[in-house]
C-alpha cells in the first residue's frame, strides 16, 4: 500500500496552537475532522467514542467556565467514551476507553493539521464542571478536549515543542 502521504512531514508540522482567529470552521471542515475520528481503530472495534462538538456561542461560553485552556478558540471537540461499551482485558480488567478516545483524538488532531486548522489537546479541564454544563450522562467519560480554529498571525510553537529526548533513551530492542 503506497498512498504517497508524507506522514512524518505532517506530524513534524503540527504543534499546539494557542492563538486563534475568530474565523469559524465551515461545517465541511468539521465533518472531515469528525470523519478522521470515525476512521480511528478502537479495541475490538467497539467504537465507544462520543464526540461533542462545541461551536455555538452559548456552548463556547459554557466551555470557558470549565477550562482556562480554551485559548479563545471558536470551536472545540470534547472526546469522550461510553464506559459501557469498552473492550476489557480479562487478565487484569483493564479497559481501553481512554486509549480508544486518545487514538480518536490523535486522528482528528492530525486531520485538522492537514486542513490548516490549528489545535491544542487539552486535559486541563474540570471534569465535574464539564459534565454538568453539557449534561453528560454518568456512563460517558470525557477524556480530551481538542480546541481548534485557524491559527492567528502571532501563533507559534511554545518553547519546548522541538525538544525531543534522544530516541535511544526511549527505545529498547529485544529486552527492556
Ligand atoms: C494528553 C495531553 C494533554 C495535554 N493537555 C494540555 C492542556 O491541558 N493544556 C495545554 O495548553 N496543552 C496541553 N497539551 C499540549 C502539550 O503541552 C503539547 O502537546 C506538548 O507540550 C508538545 O508541544 P506541541 O504540541 O507544540 O508539539 C496536552 C497534550 C497531550 C498529549
Amino acid at each position: 500500500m503506497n498512498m504517497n502521504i508524507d506522514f512524518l512531514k505532517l506530524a513534524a508540522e503540527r504543534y499546539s496552537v494557542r492563538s486563534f482567529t475568530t474565523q469559524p470552521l465551515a461545517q465541511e471542515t468539521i465533518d472531515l475532522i469528525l470523519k478522521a475520528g470515525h476512521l480511528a481503530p478502537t479495541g475490538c472495534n467497539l467504537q465507544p467514542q462520543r464526540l461533542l462538538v462545541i461551536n455555538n456561542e452559548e456552548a463556547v461560553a459554557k466551555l470557558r467556565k470549565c477550562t482556562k485552556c480554551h485559548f479563545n478558540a471558536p470551536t472545540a471537540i470534547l472526546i469522550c467514551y461510553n464506559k459501557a461499551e469498552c473492550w476489557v482485558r480479562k487478565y487484569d480488567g483493564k479497559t481501553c476507553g481512554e486509549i480508544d478516545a486518545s487514538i480518536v483524538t490523535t486522528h482528528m488532531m492530525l486531520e485538522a493539521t492537514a486542513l490548516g486548522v490549528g489545535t491544542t489537546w487539552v486535559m486541563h479541564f474540570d471534569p465535574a464542571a464539564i459534565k454538568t454544563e453539557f449534561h453528560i450522562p454518568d456512563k460517558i467519560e470525557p477524556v480530551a478536549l481538542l480546541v481548534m480554529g485557524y491559527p492567528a498571525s502571532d501563533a507559534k510553537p511554545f518553547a519546548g515543542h522541538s525538544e525531543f529526548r534522544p530516541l535511544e533513551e526511549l527505545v529498547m530492542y529485544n529486552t527492556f
Side-chain angles (χ1 to χ4, degrees), residues 14-16 18 69 71 120-125 157-158 160-161:
R14 187 215 57 81
Y15 70 93
S16 294
R18 296 185 175 93
C69 294
F71 308 116
T120 288
W121 181 320
V122 170
M123 187 175 172
H124 194 292
F125 58 80
F158 268 27
H161 159 73

Side-chain angles (χ1 to χ4, degrees), residues 167-176:
L167 199 57
E168 307 82 69
E169 228 181 81
L170 310 176
V171 179
M172 278 70 60
Y173 279 87
N174 302 321
T175 182
F176 213 95

Side-chain angles (χ1 to χ4, degrees), residues 11-12 14-18 67-71 102 105-106 109 119-125 143-145 147 156-164:
R14 187 215 57 81
Y15 70 93
S16 294
V17 174
R18 296 185 175 93
T67 178
K68 62 180 183 182
C69 294
H70 54 74
F71 308 116
S102 297
T105 308
T106 306
M109 187 170 70
T119 63
T120 288
W121 181 320
V122 170
M123 187 175 172
H124 194 292
F125 58 80
V143 174
L145 183 66
V147 299
K156 59 175 181 340
F158 268 27
H161 159 73
S162 304
E163 284 171 23
F164 295 96

Side-chain angles (χ1 to χ4, degrees), residues 106-171:
T106 306
H107 265 220
M108 295 199 296
M109 187 170 70
L110 290 167
E111 171 63 4
T113 306
L115 296 168
V117 173
T119 63
T120 288
W121 181 320
V122 170
M123 187 175 172
H124 194 292
F125 58 80
D126 178 341
I130 226 161
K131 283 177 187 167
T132 304
E133 290 293 341
F134 295 98
H135 309 290
I136 297 175
D138 284 346
K139 65 181 179 184
I140 304 295
E141 188 63 28
V143 174
L145 183 66
L146 206 51
V147 299
M148 60 181 74
Y150 290 99
S153 54
D154 66 348
K156 59 175 181 340
F158 268 27
H161 159 73
S162 304
E163 284 171 23
F164 295 96
R165 291 163 68 174
L167 199 57
E168 307 82 69
E169 228 181 81
L170 310 176
V171 179

